[in-house]
């Protein structure tokens, strides 16, 4: 095999190696130096880098007598070797057959060349992004050597390949930085989204508190009025008794009116108590998600009852179709939040933007098999277009931005169904045809969680 063919084969092998573009600069450097040493049959090859000002060269990687070393402390400066640095910046390569007398390398003769037994040098610049960033240095020891044109091209090509390796290393660095930045950004987004979701959750709870407070005021006001009326009648009765003017008719009237007042008082206080109890249960559930077993039907009725202030404006017929003995093991707080958000979404969007809807209606249908709970929530409001339907679960997407909509209601529903309850969720709707939300949830979340744990173990 001729020298030219030998060098071409070496160069082809190195240029096709995945190591050059792997981003591992040390591995690429070792591959290139090994190829240079073998192709040129020399014992000393090295890679040098300029400092930022271009006034000094430092060894990045060296291969001497079959041993790799990184001699970052070994440095040559422009001040000490001005002719060498001038030649580097003015020539494609420094071809020094007689390194002791070549104008660019004779400065190394006494202190370096003689000490290392070097007779010939061949240096080629490494360029990156159009700038010379270093050199590849080939050194021949023993008798002088005349570098051939193929050998010069061989060294220059390896220097160019090292520039390619630098680009790959830089690209990998940028990719890692981008991944880190994206991870940090994603973490920030998750943290801020969690805060926003919590704020939305508390805002919904705040609306519920305000509505319940307003609703409780009515029966309490009636109760206060009834008590005042009873006090007034008792005062009149007392005065008649003290004046010995109490008649049988007055006593009957007092007993009749107080009986009515006490009945009114009892009914309204019971109504207020029920509102408070329903609100307390759903509010506590929404704030603290704890796994429990309960009858689904009565709990759904409790959720709807707690939302009576919200439903009062449109007075929809709410129909809950759920087997009376349907028992589930899941997070009641998550269910409360899901149906609260769905009903709120219906009232604030489906009914509010539907004009004068004659018979607003909400249907909640539940059924099950051995392992899955199927819940279908349906309203007969204004419905959604296909384009809005595609984005309905995206955080902050809302068609009521000017009306104060946050765009988090259905996003919270999606996250609760998928992440908290381990279920599936789907929407279907057409303009003017209402909205249908279909959910598939584990009937026994504790069993599903146990199965997942055993599989992962």
């Amino acid at each position: 095999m001729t020298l030219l063919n030998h060098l071409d084969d070496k160069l082809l092998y190195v240029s096709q190696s995945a190591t050059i573009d792997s981003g591992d600069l040390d591995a690429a450097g070792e591959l290139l130096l090994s190829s240079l040493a073998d192709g040129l049959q020399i014992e000393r090859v090295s890679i040098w880098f300029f400092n930022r000002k271009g006034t000094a060269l430092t060894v990045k990687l060296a291969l001497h007598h079959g041993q790799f070393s990184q001699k970052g402390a070994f440095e040559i400066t422009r001040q000490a070797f001005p002719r060498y640095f001038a030649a580097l910046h003015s020539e494609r390569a420094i071809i020094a057959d007689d390194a002791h007398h070549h104008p660019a390398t004779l400065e190394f003769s006494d202190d370096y060349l003689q000490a290392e037994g070097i007779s010939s040098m061949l240096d080629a610049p490494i360029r990156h992004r159009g700038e010379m960033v270093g050199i590849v240095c080939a050194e021949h020891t023993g008798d002088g050597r005349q570098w051939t044109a193929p050998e010069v091209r061989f060294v220059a090509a390896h220097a160019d390949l090292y520039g390619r390796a630098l680009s790959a290393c830089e690209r990998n660095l940028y990719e890692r930085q981008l991944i880190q930045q994206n991870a940090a950004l994603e973490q920030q987004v998750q943290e801020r989204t969690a805060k926003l979701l919590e704020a939305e959750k508390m805002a919904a709870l705040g609306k519920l508190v305000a509505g319940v407070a307003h609703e409780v005021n009515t029966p309490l006001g009636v109760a206060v009025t009834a008590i005042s009326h009873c006090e007034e009648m008792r005062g009149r009765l007392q005065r008649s008794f003290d004046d010995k003017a109490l008649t049988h008719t007055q006593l009957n009237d007092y007993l009749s009116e107080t009986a009515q007042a006490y009945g009114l008082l009892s009914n309204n206080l019971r109504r207020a108590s029920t509102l408070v109890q329903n609100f307390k249960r759903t509010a506590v559930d929404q704030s603290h998600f704890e796994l429990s077993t309960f009858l689904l039907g009565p709990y759904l009725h409790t959720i709807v009852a707690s939302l009576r202030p919200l439903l009062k404006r449109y007075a929809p017929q709410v129909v809950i179709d759920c087997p009376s003995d349907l028992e589930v093991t899941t997070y009641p707080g998550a269910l409360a939040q899901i149906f609260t958000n769905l009903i709120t979404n219906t009232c604030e969007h489906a009914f509010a933007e539907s004009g004068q809807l004659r018979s607003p209606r909400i249907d909640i249908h539940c059924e099950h098999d051995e392992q899955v709970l199927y819940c279908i929530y349906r309203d007969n409001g204004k419905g959604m277009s296909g384009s809005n339907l595609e984005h309905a679960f995206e955080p902050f997407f809302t068609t009521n931005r000017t009306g104060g909509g946050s765009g988090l209601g259905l996003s919270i529903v999606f996250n609760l169904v998928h992440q908290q309850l381990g279920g599936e969720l789907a929407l279907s709707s057409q303009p003017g045809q209402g909205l249908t939300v279909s959910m598939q949830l584990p009937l026994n979340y504790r069993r599903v969680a146990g199965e997942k744990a055993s599989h992962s173990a």
Side-chain angles (χ1 to χ4, degrees):
M1 180 183 293
T2 65
L3 174 62
L4 180 58
N5 289 338
H6 175 66
L7 296 180
D8 285 343
D9 289 345
K10 281 286 181 184
L11 183 58
L12 179 62
Y13 171 77
V14 173
S15 64
Q16 292 180 336
S17 173
T19 303
I20 300 298
D21 298 308
S22 68
D24 187 342
L25 203 56
D26 290 336
E30 291 181 2
L31 175 65
L32 290 169
L33 291 185
S34 296
S35 175
L36 283 168
D38 185 53
L40 298 174
Q41 293 297 298
I42 55 177
E43 297 293 334
R44 297 175 61 88
V45 285
S46 53
I47 296 171
W48 300 64
F49 274 0
F50 282 105
N51 63 6
R52 290 187 177 181
K53 295 182 179 180
T55 57
L57 278 168
T58 304
V59 175
K60 168 66 176 175
L61 184 65
L63 176 59
H64 293 168
H65 305 285
Q67 297 294 322
F68 286 103
S69 62
Q70 295 180 342
K71 299 181 178 179
F74 190 72
E75 181 181 80
I76 59 174
T77 64
R78 180 189 297 273
Q79 183 178 4
F81 305 99
R83 292 185 179 181
Y84 178 71
F85 276 81
L88 282 177
H89 288 281
S90 63
E91 300 179 24
R92 173 71 177 112
I94 295 177
I95 307 168
D97 298 332
D98 182 358
H100 292 277
H101 297 92
H102 190 280
T105 58
L106 61 85
E107 296 168 324
F108 298 117
S109 181
D110 294 337
D111 296 331
Y112 179 66
L113 300 181
Q114 290 183 9
E116 300 294 339
I118 299 169
S119 58
S120 303
M121 293 178 62
L122 175 53
D123 294 352
I126 300 170
R127 299 187 182 278
H128 182 241
R129 298 181 177 273
E131 298 290 334
M132 184 167 61
V133 297
I135 63 167
V136 170
C137 180
E139 300 168 334
H140 177 77
T141 57
D143 296 336
R145 174 171 180 167
Q146 185 174 0
W147 302 105
T148 66
E151 290 174 333
V152 173
R153 289 195 297 270
F154 184 68
V155 175
H158 278 66
D160 291 340
L161 286 173
Y162 194 78
R164 197 173 98 188
L166 281 173
S167 295
C169 180
E170 184 180 74
R171 183 175 62 252
N172 279 13
L173 176 61
Y174 289 159
E175 288 177 354
R176 288 195 299 271
Q177 291 175 344
L178 183 61
I179 291 173
Q180 291 173 355
Q181 291 172 357
N182 285 341
L185 181 60
E186 185 175 344
Q187 179 65 26
Q188 291 178 2
V189 169
Q190 290 177 350
E191 291 175 356
R192 293 180 182 180
T193 300
K195 292 179 181 179
L196 288 171
L197 291 177
E198 185 65 22
E200 175 70 10
K201 182 178 173 181
M202 296 309 296
L205 198 57
K207 291 179 183 178
L208 189 59
V209 169
V212 169
H214 176 76
E215 190 73 8
V216 167
N217 275 336
T218 300
L220 288 182
V222 173
V224 170
T225 301
I227 291 176
S228 299
H229 183 61
C230 288
E231 286 293 326
E232 182 181 347
M233 288 190 299
R234 189 202 64 78
R236 291 201 303 267
L237 188 69
Q238 183 68 47
R239 287 192 295 273
S240 295
F241 179 79
D242 292 341
D243 295 340
K244 301 185 185 306
L246 181 62
T247 66
H248 188 271
T249 300
Q250 286 178 318
L251 182 59
N252 281 338
D253 289 344
Y254 172 79
L255 292 175
S256 177
E257 289 188 35
T258 53
Q260 294 179 15
Y262 288 145
L264 192 63
L265 180 64
S266 176
N267 288 336
N268 279 274
L269 288 179
R270 190 180 298 110
R271 176 185 170 192
S273 176
T274 300
L275 282 170
V276 170
Q277 290 300 320
N278 289 337
F279 164 73
K280 180 180 178 182
R281 181 176 179 184
T282 55
V284 169
D285 283 345
Q286 291 180 39
S287 299
H288 303 89
F289 287 177
E290 295 182 359
L291 196 64
S292 61
T293 300
F294 56 95
L295 290 173
L296 181 59
Y299 188 62
L300 291 176
H301 283 282
T302 299
I303 295 171
V304 172
S306 71
L307 296 173
R308 184 190 299 174
L310 181 64
L311 296 167
K312 187 175 182 180
R313 178 178 179 184
Y314 301 102
Q317 180 184 7
V318 181
V319 178
I320 299 175
D321 178 20
C322 180
S324 59
D325 59 347
L326 175 51
E327 189 175 77
V328 296
T329 299
T330 188
Y331 293 93
L335 280 181
Q337 186 73 48
I338 288 169
F339 283 101
T340 296
N341 282 23
L342 290 176
I343 293 174
T344 300
N345 186 73
T346 292
C347 291
E348 294 184 351
H349 298 280
F351 292 162
E353 301 174 21
S354 297
Q356 297 298 323
L357 190 64
R358 287 188 174 183
S359 301
R361 179 179 174 121
I362 295 173
D363 288 275
I364 301 174
H365 174 77
C366 300
E367 58 185 56
H368 68 96
D369 56 25
E370 292 184 356
Q371 296 185 358
V372 181
L373 169 67
Y374 302 95
C375 291
I376 298 177
Y377 174 94
R378 183 182 293 111
D379 66 51
N380 65 342
K382 73 164 191 172
M384 299 177 69
S385 66
S387 58
N388 288 339
L389 202 62
E390 292 178 3
H391 303 287
F393 292 134
E394 294 178 5
F396 313 113
F397 176 79
T398 179
T399 58
N400 189 30
R401 185 75 63 190
T402 57
S406 67
L408 290 174
L410 290 180
S411 175
I412 293 175
V413 171
F414 181 88
N415 289 333
L416 287 174
V417 170
H418 281 264
Q419 298 178 15
Q420 183 74 30
L421 301 183
E424 298 292 334
L425 179 67
L427 288 183
S428 60
S429 181
Q430 292 182 2
Q433 300 299 316
L435 174 72
T436 299
V437 182
S438 301
M439 293 175 279
Q440 295 184 25
L441 307 171
L443 191 65
N444 188 332
Y445 186 86
R446 185 178 287 111
R447 180 178 60 193
V448 172
E451 290 175 353
K452 290 183 177 179
S454 63
H455 288 320
S456 62

